[in-house]
Each structure stands twice: as C-alpha cells, then as structure tokens.
Amino acid sequence: MHTVAVLALDQVIPFDLSTPIEVFTRTRLPDGRPGYQIRICAERPEIDAGSFTLRAPWGLEGLKGADTIIVPGTATPAAPLTPAVRDALRAAAEEGTRIASICVGTFPLAATGLLDGLRATTHWIVADLLADAYPAVTVDPDVLYVDNGQILTSAGAAAGLDLCLHMIRSDYGSAVAAYAARLAVMPLEREGGQAQFIVHDYAPTPQGSALEPLLTWLQNNLGHDLSLADIAAHAGTSTRTLIRRFREQTGTTPLQWLHRARIRQAQHLLETTSHSVERIADQVGFGSPTAFRDRFKRTTGVSPNTYRRTFS
C-alpha cells in the first residue's frame, strides 16, 4: 500500500490539508482494497490551523519511509522554514520520496532548495512573489500543476485536487483515478489552466494622470476598430509619443492595454449575458469570431464557451 505523509506546518490552510486526506483515503483499487494510507505529520504535537488547533499523530519521523509527502499551503507562505522541517524534506528527497505541494505550499518547498532549476506553479495571485523570492525557480502561473517527476507543485486550492488525481493515475492507472474523481464530483482532467481564473484587470494608471481621459475613451469604445494611429489621433499626439507615455504610465503598450480591456469585457459579458460568442466578439471590437476565440483562449487558456460554462 502506498503511504502518503501530509506535512502540517504552522498556520496550515485547512482546505489544503484536507484535500489529500479526502482524496487519497477514498481511493479504492479494483478489488476494493484501499490504495493509500495517510500519516498527518507535524514538527510539534499541536499546530495552529487558524480557526482550530490540530493535533498531529505523527512527528517529522512520519515522513521517513513515506512514498509521497504532501506540503499544504499556509496562511503565512513567506514564513521562514525551520531547520528541522527543511532537513526532513531534503532527506526524504535524497531517499527518492515523491514530494508535492498544494497552492502556496510551493513556498516552503522552494525554501528547501528542492525546486531550484525546476519549473513550478502556485496560486496566481502570489506567483510574482514566489518568482522574486526564489529566482532559481521557473514560476509558471498559468497551469494547474507541474509534474517534474519526483517534485510536483499545484496552483490554487482546487488545483490540489487535480494534482492528487494526477498522482493517483500515475500510481494505479486511469480507471482508479477516474473512480476517485467521481467520488470527488469533479472531472479527471479540467480544461485550461489557472489563467481562466485570473481577473484580467487593466494596467493601473494613477488618478489624474495625463492618460486617464484617453483610457476612459478607449473603455467606452471597445467595440470600434481602433488602430494605433486612431488612438494617437484622438490623444492628439504621435504614435511614438503615445507608446512612450503608455509605457511610462501603464507599463504596457496601447494595443496590449486595449486587448486586455476587450478580454475583460468579454469575460463580463460571458458571465452575465446569454449573448452568442459571435455577438460578444462584435461587442468588444474583434474583427471576427475566430480572431476573438483565438485571443480569448491565448489569454485565459480556455475557449469562450468553456469559460461561460465555468463561470456563468
């Protein structure tokens, strides 16, 4: 039987902690036997889990001999890792143990150095923070999980389910994983990645800036076919000056800002109306539904119809 050790760090997020416990303990093999046994491990007997206190039946010695170690996220992801936890995870890695993180559990995993030189993901809202804190890690904020073989990472909390099902499939095959997915009432594989859940806000512009009236005009005219020359003409400036001012005040280009604004408006229309994709493409200024579908999928990772089914 495969042993999974779930490491409860201080301020552990209860949802992240419970995800592998629920998914793995409910996994059954074709003959009805359980596929996994679970150990809840912690550095101290009692761990602060925010709204309650957790009493872990295993200490760090429970990590030894486990086939898989799961590192859930914590409410303080940037908190320093204790030497004892760091050494225990490194020792497990040296023994060949599979180690996976859920959500911001990528931070303590990165603090061990085990992600150096590897691709990893975490919740999109702190992806930049992870990249800044651990420059040796290649952070991909758009995917639901990353499997590097021995070391795996997942994105936001629900992506922990995707990662657990992926590991079950690796361990016991698709049939066992599909049954576990049905018990969890979720698909074995979700379309798209984390990008579909990111709210694509417009680049920030200080109130009262020289661009504020122009951005308001752009927002009110998303449905029109606007070229860089059109935008510059409305602003009463050259295209070169317009691009420079946009770079200085928004960090992006006029057309990139316009594309983001159009996709954000399209997301809103898909969530709140029953308009056809073709009508929405026209409403937000795309020349054709095909161009709209292509840009929408490149930005969010899913098609407009898939996005609507998910969020409407």
Side-chain angles (χ1 to χ4, degrees), residues 248-261:
E248 291 172 349
Q249 297 184 43
T250 71
T252 187
T253 69
L255 292 182
Q256 286 172 338
W257 191 97
L258 184 61
H259 285 316
R260 289 175 65 183

Side-chain angles (χ1 to χ4, degrees), residues 235-248:
T237 187
S238 68
T239 55
R240 175 177 290 186
T241 300
L242 178 71
I243 292 171
R244 177 174 55 79
R245 288 178 180 172
F246 254 81
R247 285 286 189 194
E248 291 172 349

